[in-house]
Amino acid sequence: MDLPFELDALEPYISKETLQYHHGKHHAAYVNNLNRLIEGTKYENMVLRDIIKSADGGIFNNAAQVYNHDFYFKGLCREKTTPSKNLLKLINRDFGSMEAF
């Protein structure tokens, strides 16, 4: 997947260099490994979720890591956001405040 933002969009919290490494190398390695492992198998034309549900070993591991990274990257954004009321309640309960969290 392409990142839903520019590589420097999350600075100063996450650096361009960190995203270049984490997305451009780490995530890409899982994608490339998975594509290599599924070539010519029953998984070749499956969507990622179905691969995760039915595979094991290296295919499962690489597919799950691709999914986890996609989920992580889609959860990041440039704009400042606030947690839902329920999440904020839990943060305050467990950490005392958003600032302490």
Side-chain angles (χ1 to χ4, degrees):
M1 68 169 270
D2 291 330
L3 290 174
F5 43 78
E6 296 299 319
L7 288 171
D8 62 353
L10 303 178
E11 291 182 341
Y13 306 105
I14 300 176
S15 71
K16 179 179 180 177
E17 180 182 11
T18 297
L19 284 173
Q20 285 172 323
Y21 179 80
H22 200 68
H23 180 265
K25 294 182 181 179
H26 189 73
H27 178 261
Y30 286 122
V31 171
N32 293 334
N33 287 338
L34 178 61
N35 287 337
R36 183 178 43 78
L37 289 168
I38 65 173
E39 189 174 331
T41 72
K42 67 181 182 178
Y43 303 107
E44 188 170 30
N45 295 311
M46 285 186 183
V47 295
L48 191 56
R49 286 184 187 184
D50 290 341
I51 294 172
I52 293 167
K53 289 178 183 178
S54 60
D56 58 12
I59 291 176
F60 169 80
N61 181 59
N62 283 277
Q65 289 296 339
V66 170
Y67 184 90
N68 288 340
H69 282 77
D70 287 354
F71 181 81
Y72 170 74
F73 291 127
K74 289 176 186 174
L76 300 174
C77 67
R78 299 176 352 164
E79 293 78 30
K80 183 176 180 178
T81 61
T82 57
S84 68
K85 287 181 184 180
N86 289 338
L87 179 56
L88 186 57
K89 182 178 175 181
L90 294 172
I91 290 171
N92 288 333
R93 181 195 74 193
D94 293 348
F95 296 94
S97 69
M98 188 68 180
E99 292 74 27
F101 172 69

